[in-house]
Structure formats: C-alpha cells, structure tokens
Amino acid sequence: MGEVYICDTTLRDGRQMPGVYLTLYECIEIARMLDEIGVDQIEVFSPSYVIKDYYLIRELNKMGLSDKLLVWHRGLRRDLEKSIGTRLDFGAVALSIATEKGHREKKLRMTKEQIMETMCEAVTYAKDHGLYVSVNAEKSVGTEPEYLVEFANTVADAGADRIRYCDTLGELIPHETYTVISELKRKVKIPIEFHGHDDMGMAVGNAIEAFRAGAKWLDTSVCRLGERGGFTSLEALLYNLYKHFNIRKYKIGKLAELAAFVEKASGIKLPPNTPIVGRNIYRHESGIHAHGVLRDVSLYERVRAEEVGMREGSLREKIVIGETTGRESIVFVLREAGIDINKDDPVVSKILLKIQEQYLFGRKTSVPHEEVIELYNIISNGGKVPITMIIEEENGNTTKS
C-alpha cells in the first residue's frame, strides 16, 4: 500500500442514477464541497455529451478547479475533438470503452484489436493536447485477464496515465478484488484506479481491498448515488481510510454537511441507518445498548458524530423509547423530568408493560419522552391505563382508546 487518491464521480456516475436531476447550481456547490474535503479529482460529463456540463465546467474554471476536473468521454477521438473545441479548461479526461467479450460482440460489434486501436487513437490525441488520461475498461470484471493486461499495456504505450478497472455491475467480493488487482498490478505498466458499483453491497469493501492490493486511485460517489444499486460511498470509504489506515489528508469533518446537501439536492432520502452519516448511528433504543450509552457513549458509538461534522446530540436525543426499551432508559427519562425513581420501582415495570402493549396492538412510532412521563403520572397516582393509549392506524391516523 502507498499513497491513495480519490476521484469522486457524484457529478457523473451519480447523475446517471434514474430520478436524480441536479441543477447547475447544485452541481457547482457539490464540486465546491468536494474540493473543500480534499478529493483529488472531480469527474464530470463531456461538455459535448451533456449541455449542462459545458456551463458547469465553465463555472468551475472560474473557481480555479480546472486541474481537479476529470472529464468523461467515450473512447473516441471525435468526442475529444468536440470537447477540446469548446476551449474550456480541464486537466484530465476519462476515456471509456467496454472490453468484456459480450460487450465487444453484442454492443460494440468490434474485435479486440479494433477496440485497442480506437482507444489508442483517442489517447494519442488527448496526450497531444496536454491532457492527463484515465483509460476506463468498462466491464473489466468478465474481461479475459490476458486481454485486459494487453489492453492496459497497449494504451499505456500510447500515453495513458492510469487504467480504470471497472466493477461495472458490482459483482466482485473483497477477496476476489484483492486477488485480481494484485495480479493486474504485477503485469501492467501504469497505476490502477478502482471503480466499484454496489449492486451486491460490497463496493466499500472492494475499494478497501483494491487499495490494499495496490490500486492508487479509488472512485466514490456521495450518498452512494449511481446506477442500479448505487456506487462506492464517499463517506464510508473516507472514514474507513481515516480510521483503519491513518489517512488524514481528507477533511472528514465536512462529510455530514456534504451528504445532507446531496440528499436534499438529489431527492434521495438517506435511510436513518446509513453508515457514517445516518442519524441512527447516534440513537439507541435497545435496553442493553441504551444502558451502555448512559454509562459511556463510546461503548456503542465507534463513529463519533463530531468526527464527521454531525452535531453531538444530548443523551436525551440519543435515547429512543420503543418496544425494546429497558428499565435504565425509563429511569433516565423520568429523572430528566425531575422524578426521583430507580429501576426496581414497580412503576418502571408497569410503564414498560404498557409501552409493549402499544406495539402489540400495532404502534408504528417511537414513544415521545413526554408520553413516558404521562404514563408515570397515571400509574403512580393509581389511575388505570387503557390497553393502549395510542393505536397507530395503517393510514397514519391515530385513535385513542
């Protein structure tokens, strides 16, 4: 392992996610925030491919981000000619062509030799215009290993600066990734970039193993935005590089802000159990867990909110009351309200029973702390609590019984 570089593709691969349509302003802001975090390259579309990206690149030029731009093209000289003809300023290009047999024969209808010739022509043209070149072997997984090596070394001889190994369908598992990248690194002349989709949920693990095997460049997307099952999460990958490999050059304290912006801009709501930036990373219902958190938060929070730029909530915000709540949480809530009680008090058991009854009858939400206090007041004063105070109907309405 050595130095690692991050190429973020939120503004290219992320925008290929069905239903995600970012405005020009949103794209500019995402690029600005990625730059603040310290990502090494920001991938965007060719200005000849998506008209918005003409204006996006122009604005990023004004912001001094030209050298961070990786502009994606098909591996065709004519596509490069159009982009270079815009006179926009960008320092690097990604040139993409499929190498796997099925793609060669069914989609491209090209021979192995034709694919290499076409790509080498594009690479030569790019280098003649002073551009850094990442050659993308689409569907690297499934490409004959011998041909992939030949392809990589042929484009390297034409001047390519790195080869992007694409797990296009997210089908690798981590130990396979380590093996294939290790083997490729031994045989190719240029640095390897790993581009991993998340169709089978292994993208971050695969990226880590690619790095361990010698890949210098790792591709990411904010909030996992990407085609089909999504892409390698920027937040999860950077945090793991920070935590397990002591890589400190990226400002992980800005991850939460970026994720929140992309969540809103994309319209794709993050599940609360999203790794690193999900709110449930810092909330606890289970009695065993809440008991530990009330003694020492670090017992059940390895990722600390302040590390990634999230607000460190109070214990009141962390402790959630629900079906699996234990005595310690009930005591905590009541003591917060100024009620002197201990966990062996029979009232605590009765409150827990009444809470569990609500879930037996279909409650679908957590119990507000105020409702716990209301239950205490009824029970401790000898009042009778109905079988359930609130039953949640399937249509979202509440009825009292």
Side-chain angles (χ1 to χ4, degrees):
M1 293 183 295
E3 192 69 37
V4 64
Y5 302 93
I6 298 296
C7 175
D8 188 85
T9 187
T10 307
L11 297 179
R12 202 274 296 177
D13 216 307
R15 287 164 61 200
Q16 292 177 190
M17 181 173 179
V20 171
Y21 306 104
L22 303 175
T23 67
L24 176 59
Y25 160 75
E26 288 165 344
C27 290
I28 293 168
E29 187 64 10
I30 290 167
R32 183 191 66 77
M33 297 171 84
L34 287 168
D35 178 54
E36 279 191 348
I37 284 172
V39 300
D40 302 282
Q41 279 187 335
I42 300 168
E43 187 173 27
V44 298
F45 286 109
S46 157
S48 62
Y49 184 70
V50 177
I51 189 170
K52 185 185 295 174
D53 287 67
Y54 172 86
Y55 297 97
L56 173 59
I57 295 170
R58 188 177 70 176
E59 291 305 309
L60 297 181
N61 288 168
K62 295 175 185 176
M63 294 166 59
L65 296 180
S66 305
D67 290 342
K68 278 203 171 182
L69 295 180
L70 179 75
V71 181
W72 183 92
H73 298 77
R74 294 181 299 173
L76 299 172
R77 172 175 170 156
R78 65 176 180 268
D79 284 12
L80 279 168
E81 288 173 343
K82 291 177 184 177
S83 290
I84 291 171
T86 63
R87 300 187 181 279
L88 293 169
D89 187 14
F90 45 88
V93 291
L95 302 178
S96 182
I97 198 165
T99 54
E100 187 259 347
K101 182 179 180 181
H103 282 253
R104 294 195 308 261
E105 296 177 353
K106 297 175 184 178
K107 184 178 76 173
L108 300 177
R109 298 182 180 179
M110 296 170 69
T111 66
K112 293 177 180 179
E113 292 72 26
Q114 287 173 324
I115 285 173
M116 289 191 291
E117 289 171 9
T118 299
M119 181 58 80
C120 285
E121 181 185 21
V123 171
T124 301
Y125 186 80
K127 297 307 291 185
D128 286 346
H129 286 80
L131 295 170
Y132 178 100
V133 177
S134 167
V135 168
N136 305 176
E138 184 190 2
K139 197 59 169 62
S140 301
V141 179
T143 300
E144 305 90 330
E146 301 81 9
Y147 177 57
L148 189 60
V149 170
E150 181 185 5
F151 174 82
N153 285 332
T154 299
V155 298
D157 290 340
D161 295 281
R162 71 180 191 248
I163 182 77
R164 177 182 267 178
Y165 183 95
C166 299
D167 185 7
T168 305
L169 301 183
E171 54 193 299
L172 289 174
I173 58 177
H175 84 267
E176 292 174 329
T177 302
Y178 184 89
T179 300
V180 73
I181 297 299
S182 296
E183 188 70 9
L184 196 61
K185 185 175 184 294
R186 279 197 316 109
K187 296 179 178 180
V188 302
K189 303 174 181 178
I190 49 179
I192 298 169
E193 172 182 4
F194 183 78
H195 182 90
H197 284 262
D198 206 24
D199 297 54
M200 299 184 188
M202 295 289 176
V204 171
N206 285 332
I208 291 291
E209 288 302 286
F211 170 57
R212 290 186 62 246
K216 276 196 168 184
W217 286 84
L218 303 175
D219 294 355
T220 62
S221 181
V222 182
C223 297
R224 297 181 52 253
L225 294 187
E227 299 155 315
R228 299 178 315 280
F231 201 77
T232 304
S233 160
L234 173 75
E235 312 87 78
L237 182 60
L238 289 194
Y239 190 84
N240 276 281
L241 290 174
Y242 165 82
K243 204 72 171 179
H244 298 297
F245 299 93
N246 201 34
I247 292 172
R248 305 293 167 122
K249 67 177 183 173
Y250 302 109
K251 297 178 181 177
I252 65 168
K254 294 182 177 292
L255 288 174
E257 179 186 12
L258 173 59
F261 183 86
V262 170
E263 177 185 30
K264 183 176 180 180
S266 68
I268 306 298
K269 189 168 180 59
L270 288 177
N273 60 344
T274 299
I276 313 303
V277 294
R279 68 187 187 118
N280 276 3
I281 302 289
Y282 315 104
R283 300 169 76 235
H284 311 273
E285 179 189 310
S286 162
I288 293 172
H289 287 215
H291 184 188
V293 167
L294 288 168
R295 297 297 182 271
D296 180 348
V297 171
S298 69
L299 293 179
Y300 283 99
E301 290 186 16
R302 185 60 64 222
V303 180
R304 299 307 302 271
E306 67 271 15
E307 288 182 309
V308 297
M310 296 186 75
R311 186 177 64 83
E312 182 67 54
S314 65
L315 283 175
R316 178 179 173 81
E317 294 169 299
K318 289 179 180 292
I319 300 302
V320 177
I321 304 300
E323 187 173 19
T324 62
T325 287
R327 295 168 184 268
E328 295 284 349
S329 295
I330 299 299
V331 169
F332 168 76
V333 170
L334 296 176
R335 286 180 176 173
E336 281 277 290
I339 299 167
D340 185 17
I341 195 169
N342 63 64
K343 67 179 182 179
D344 297 320
D345 192 308
V347 174
V348 174
S349 296
K350 291 178 182 179
I351 291 172
L352 283 173
L353 178 61
K354 292 306 175 184
I355 287 172
Q356 291 199 10
E357 282 179 351
Q358 293 184 30
Y359 291 99
L360 173 63
F361 285 91
R363 182 172 185 138
K364 291 288 189 180
T365 60
S366 58
V367 178
H369 289 196
E370 292 75 17
E371 193 174 318
V372 175
I373 298 165
E374 183 182 354
L375 280 168
Y376 169 82
N377 288 333
I378 295 171
I379 294 169
S380 62
N381 289 318
K384 185 176 179 181
V385 180
I387 290 178
T388 179
M389 291 174 64
I390 299 177
I391 297 176
E392 295 287 335
E393 301 283 7
E394 285 190 8
N395 64 8
N397 295 326
T398 62
T399 60
K400 292 196 174 183
S401 62

